[in-house]
Amino acid sequence: MDLLLAVLPLLVATALLGGTRLPSWLAGLAALISALPALLLSLPSNQTVVPVLVEETLQGSWLAWQAISVMLAGLFFHAATRLATVRQQVELDARSLFTLVIFIGPFVESAVGFGVGIVVVVGRLLTAGVPPLTAALLSLLSQTLVPWGAFAVGTLIGAEVANLPFRELAWASALLSVPLLLAWLPFYYRLAGSLPDADSHRRIRVSEIGWVLVAGGALVLVNRFSDPEIAVILSLGAVILARRLIHAEGGTGELRQDLTRAAPYVALCALLLVTRLIEPIGIALGNMATLQPFTEGPTFSPFLHPSFWLLAVGTGALIARRRALMPVLKETFSSGWQPVLVTLLFVILARFMITSQSAEHIALSLTALLGAQAVLTTPALAAAAGFLTGSNTASNALMMPVQSQLTASVALAPALVAGLQNVAGSAMTGLSPARVVLACTLTGGIDVRAVYQRASLFVLPPLLVLTAVAFCATLLA
């Protein structure tokens, strides 16, 4: 009975997200309600129910705010800095295509999140005359570094739920992501090989693999020695700039246009680097205001947080381009209210599952059934959560409590198991219904089933590679 109540929220979320057309927030609300019986039965007889519910809801809301603030600020930044769509066809050579899909898409996703990388990649591919179905598939392949999406808010939530240092989880995620970047390349080359300039794509494969290794190494180093929030922006930003200077891709006219598009991102990166690398400035901004309503909860320093600088640069862009504020606010709200509500509900659900010891019951049951091999289920469970929720924040909130309890049972490094959860769940958000529908809509309403038929093999790298890592870890434990 205890196990049934423990898994009930996961079953409800899975059934409603995967088997119905209900909005994600309604599925999250239903899962949250289904977690109440386990929470109530876990309380001592002398403890009042209402104060516990209020306390856990408030703590979950405060934890969710760390992600929600970046979500809303990131969507505001994107709406405020977006330029008018270029309607004339602009050619895209092999190197420029590789840069767009493998580097620029993840870069934009890191700065904004929520599938905005798909928007940017699809728009550029369509103006280059790429067929809609191929454009949709390539845009989904650009969702490769989602653990750092929207300044790594999902990884931050995962670290808080797993009770791990943020940088430790981000570093483990970076190490696990490098082989995935390489494993996805054959799928990219197969799609690129269907384009008219296929021969040039084949000629540059070796050099492009080298660039991916450089980007992966930079990602690992930045996560190890700097702030994970800016890891992708810093590492991929340097790679994109280096490729632009070395290969002079796109010609002078396109270079000027790219610099205009990139100006807000350059300003954002510069401000974030200044606040994090120049210690006196960071300390001064942190001392201006720091909020921590719960002793065991995270702190929030408004003037150090990425959300503040996203809002500041976005507002500056509005002023510089003489655009009205209200349309941007309306777009931010219409795009953001559902992701915000989904994140809030799933993070509160994570708090309920931890307090009721539901996660511990599930982990102990898996261990009793599979022994040390229980950790081999981590990538599949994480991938399922990422696919269903379409958010690495929600995926981590939903499954990280179980994975954290599993760690204690299988005697593996907590950061490794949490990293497997974070990377596998993030990888599958790119194939979630929400993002696939977004890509299909942007490319002119192509058939969702056609995309899934072609993209179904995209699931193999995260499942095979990460399960192999888990298997090797159990052998060495």
Side-chain angles (χ1 to χ4, degrees):
M1 185 63 179
D2 287 344
L3 179 60
L4 178 60
L5 290 177
V7 300
L8 185 59
L10 304 183
L11 295 176
V12 169
T14 301
L16 294 181
L17 288 168
T20 72
R21 295 189 176 184
L22 283 177
S24 298
W25 68 269
L26 277 177
L29 179 60
L32 182 64
I33 293 171
S34 71
L36 290 175
L39 178 62
L40 298 179
L41 290 175
S42 69
L43 299 178
S45 57
N46 61 347
Q47 193 165 10
T48 309
V49 172
V50 174
V52 173
L53 288 177
V54 171
E55 173 76 10
E56 294 302 322
T57 300
L58 290 176
Q59 289 215 36
S61 300
W62 177 245
L63 181 56
W65 171 249
Q66 311 295 314
I68 289 170
S69 59
V70 179
M71 288 181 182
L72 293 175
L75 290 169
F76 173 84
F77 172 84
H78 174 67
T81 59
R82 187 179 59 245
L83 295 176
T85 303
V86 181
R87 296 191 180 276
Q88 69 272 23
Q89 183 165 316
V90 181
E91 290 186 3
L92 199 63
D93 62 28
R95 283 197 173 91
S96 297
L97 177 66
F98 191 88
T99 302
L100 175 69
V101 174
I102 304 301
F103 299 130
I104 293 178
F107 177 91
V108 174
E109 192 67 24
S110 174
V112 183
F114 317 108
V116 173
I118 292 175
V119 176
V120 172
V121 172
V122 164
R124 182 66 182 87
L125 290 176
L126 292 179
T127 61
V130 175
L133 179 57
T134 303
L137 292 166
L138 286 170
S139 73
L140 295 175
L141 267 183
S142 73
Q143 300 287 287
T144 52
L145 294 174
V146 174
W148 294 270
F151 291 95
V153 291
T155 300
L156 172 64
I157 295 296
E160 292 287 346
V161 173
N163 197 27
L164 285 171
F166 181 25
R167 185 177 292 177
E168 186 176 344
L169 177 55
W171 185 48
S173 300
L175 291 170
L176 293 169
S177 294
V178 174
L180 288 187
L181 294 176
L182 296 171
W184 268 310
L185 286 181
F187 298 95
Y188 167 81
Y189 284 121
R190 184 172 182 179
L191 290 169
S194 67
L195 299 176
D197 197 19
D199 289 339
S200 60
H201 290 287
R202 296 189 188 99
R203 287 195 298 269
I204 63 173
R205 284 186 184 181
V206 174
S207 65
E208 304 297 23
I209 291 171
W211 279 105
V212 170
L213 289 172
V214 168
L219 180 67
V220 170
L221 289 174
V222 175
N223 276 283
R224 182 71 174 127
F225 298 109
S226 186
D227 285 299
E229 295 164 326
I230 58 172
V232 168
I233 289 179
L234 195 59
S235 56
L236 292 197
V239 168
I240 292 166
L241 179 60
R243 285 175 64 84
R244 194 51 104 174
L245 294 175
I246 292 171
H247 299 301
E249 299 169 342
T252 305
E254 189 181 341
L255 178 60
R256 188 181 301 111
Q257 192 176 67
D258 286 347
L259 289 174
T260 302
R261 290 195 200 101
Y265 293 93
V266 172
L268 179 65
C269 293
L271 289 167
L272 288 170
L273 286 173
V274 166
T275 61
R276 281 152 176 76
L277 299 182
I278 301 178
E279 190 173 352
I281 293 179
I283 293 173
L285 291 172
N287 289 338
M288 289 175 66
T290 298
L291 306 175
Q292 190 179 20
F294 303 99
T295 306
E296 297 180 358
T299 60
F300 183 80
S301 300
F303 300 104
L304 268 179
H305 203 260
S307 58
F308 173 81
W309 298 106
L310 283 163
L311 290 172
V313 175
T315 302
L318 281 180
I319 295 171
R321 295 169 183 176
R322 298 180 180 179
R323 294 179 59 190
L325 176 63
M326 285 309 298
V328 172
L329 291 178
K330 288 179 180 177
E331 182 179 338
T332 300
F333 176 78
S334 64
S335 302
W337 74 266
Q338 287 199 59
V340 164
L341 191 52
V342 168
T343 298
L344 178 65
L345 291 169
F346 275 107
V347 173
I348 295 173
L349 172 61
R351 286 291 313 180
F352 282 13
M353 290 185 68
I354 292 171
T355 303
S356 66
Q357 298 182 316
S358 294
E360 185 176 355
H361 284 306
I362 297 171
L364 289 175
S365 299
L366 282 172
T367 306
L369 180 64
L370 301 173
Q373 304 305 312
V375 73
L376 299 183
T377 65
T378 293
L381 291 173
F387 174 79
L388 291 169
T389 63
S391 161
N392 72 321
T393 302
S395 169
N396 281 342
L398 185 63
M399 291 307 304
M400 191 66 83
V402 177
Q403 313 289 21
S404 298
Q405 291 297 327
L406 195 61
T407 303
S409 304
V410 297
L412 290 180
L416 172 62
V417 179
L420 291 170
Q421 157 65 39
N422 190 35
V423 175
S426 298
M428 286 305 296
T429 62
L431 286 179
S432 67
R435 300 206 182 191
V436 171
V437 168
L438 172 64
C440 291
T441 302
L442 292 169
T443 51
I446 61 175
D447 188 3
V448 172
R449 289 170 296 180
V451 173
Y452 272 121
Q453 287 170 1
R454 294 284 302 276
S456 58
L457 293 179
F458 291 1
V459 306
L460 292 179
L463 288 180
L464 295 180
V465 172
L466 297 177
T467 302
V469 170
F471 179 71
C472 293
T474 59
L475 292 179
L476 297 173

